Amino acid sequence: IVTECRTLGIRHLTLYTFSQENWGRPKDEVSLLFQLLVSFLGEELPSMERNGISLRVFGELDALTLPARTALSHAMNRTAKCSDMIVNLALNYSGREEILRAARLLMQQGVKPEAVTEEAFRSCLYSAGQPDPDLIIRTSGEQRISNYLTFQSAYSELYFTSTYWPDFTPEALHRALVEYAGRNRRFGLTQEQIQ
């Protein structure tokens, strides 16, 4: 999917990899997920560098396993100067917690209430400097955003599919993009105003 997005010219892709709520899953499953992450990073890092893909993380990394933190830090450092595409992994991530974190950062910076603007708030989010998602694809038949990019998704288009993530192919991505292309995004305006 990352390769296909890069081919299509999609410059920002965020994958919801592991939520804060996922810590409640069986320990063996959690351990396997982080082993897969470390393995994936080891295998894909050379390709990411060759293709100009910068890796970033949304979430609190301190709680992750040492091998995961080490692999992520290494991959982010090696791809920091890549500029063709940004792939964000939402790891140990919570949209609500991100909002609270941003509010705390503004308070720590001593920002006065009247200076708390949308721009100031955005600068404290994990996604600072990146655009809001145009499209959020939710796999596995669920019909919710599951605490994902809660602030950033205010005007995102949502696409739901019963396909599970491991089976979500480039063809499935193209189906989602075709449906998205047929939507009329007005951002609060009337159709007459847009025309």
Side-chain angles (χ1 to χ4, degrees):
I1 296 300
V2 172
T3 301
E4 188 67 15
C5 285
R6 186 184 180 286
T7 300
L8 293 169
I10 296 170
R11 294 188 40 83
H12 298 268
L13 175 66
T14 303
L15 302 170
Y16 204 175
T17 313
F18 190 84
S19 73
Q20 286 185 352
E21 294 82 8
N22 288 151
W23 289 111
R25 291 186 175 198
K27 289 184 181 185
D28 289 347
E29 181 180 334
V30 171
S31 177
L32 177 62
L33 290 172
F34 285 111
Q35 289 172 21
L36 288 171
L37 173 66
V38 171
S39 174
F40 167 81
L41 290 172
E43 292 170 12
E44 296 299 321
L45 182 57
S47 175
M48 292 176 74
E49 288 180 295
R50 271 193 316 276
N51 290 299
I53 299 171
S54 176
L55 180 70
R56 305 205 184 152
V57 174
F58 294 176
E60 299 298 322
L61 295 182
D62 292 345
L64 303 184
T65 65
L66 179 60
R69 288 194 318 265
T70 302
L72 285 163
S73 177
H74 178 69
M76 288 187 292
N77 287 334
R78 290 262 307 264
T79 64
K81 293 184 179 176
C82 295
S83 59
D84 292 342
M85 180 183 187
I86 295 173
V87 172
N88 304 297
L89 298 181
L91 276 165
N92 193 26
Y93 175 83
S94 159
R96 287 179 175 176
E97 182 57 35
E98 180 182 25
I99 290 170
L100 295 173
R101 175 184 171 272
R104 287 190 293 268
L105 285 171
L106 287 171
M107 287 188 278
Q108 288 169 1
Q109 294 168 8
V111 176
K112 296 185 178 187
E114 59 275 10
V116 178
T117 62
E118 187 171 324
E119 292 76 23
F121 193 82
R122 282 180 181 282
S123 72
C124 293
L125 296 172
Y126 293 118
S127 59
Q130 297 187 49
D132 288 342
D134 292 312
L135 175 65
I136 293 178
I137 299 172
R138 177 60 202 249
T139 59
S140 75
E142 304 292 349
Q143 302 266 324
R144 61 178 184 267
I145 61 169
S146 296
N147 201 11
Y148 177 63
L149 301 177
T150 308
F151 184 87
Q152 299 91 329
S153 65
Y155 277 99
S156 301
E157 293 292 320
L158 304 176
Y159 176 85
F160 299 103
T161 176
S162 59
T163 304
Y164 287 92
W165 173 247
D167 302 320
F168 193 80
T169 62
E171 293 75 26
L173 173 64
H174 282 273
R175 285 193 294 276
L177 293 173
V178 165
E179 182 174 313
Y180 167 77
R183 295 187 186 180
N184 185 7
R185 301 185 76 199
R186 298 191 313 267
F187 298 96
L189 302 176
T190 66
Q191 187 60 40
E192 293 75 25
Q193 288 175 300
I194 292 173
Q195 294 172 345

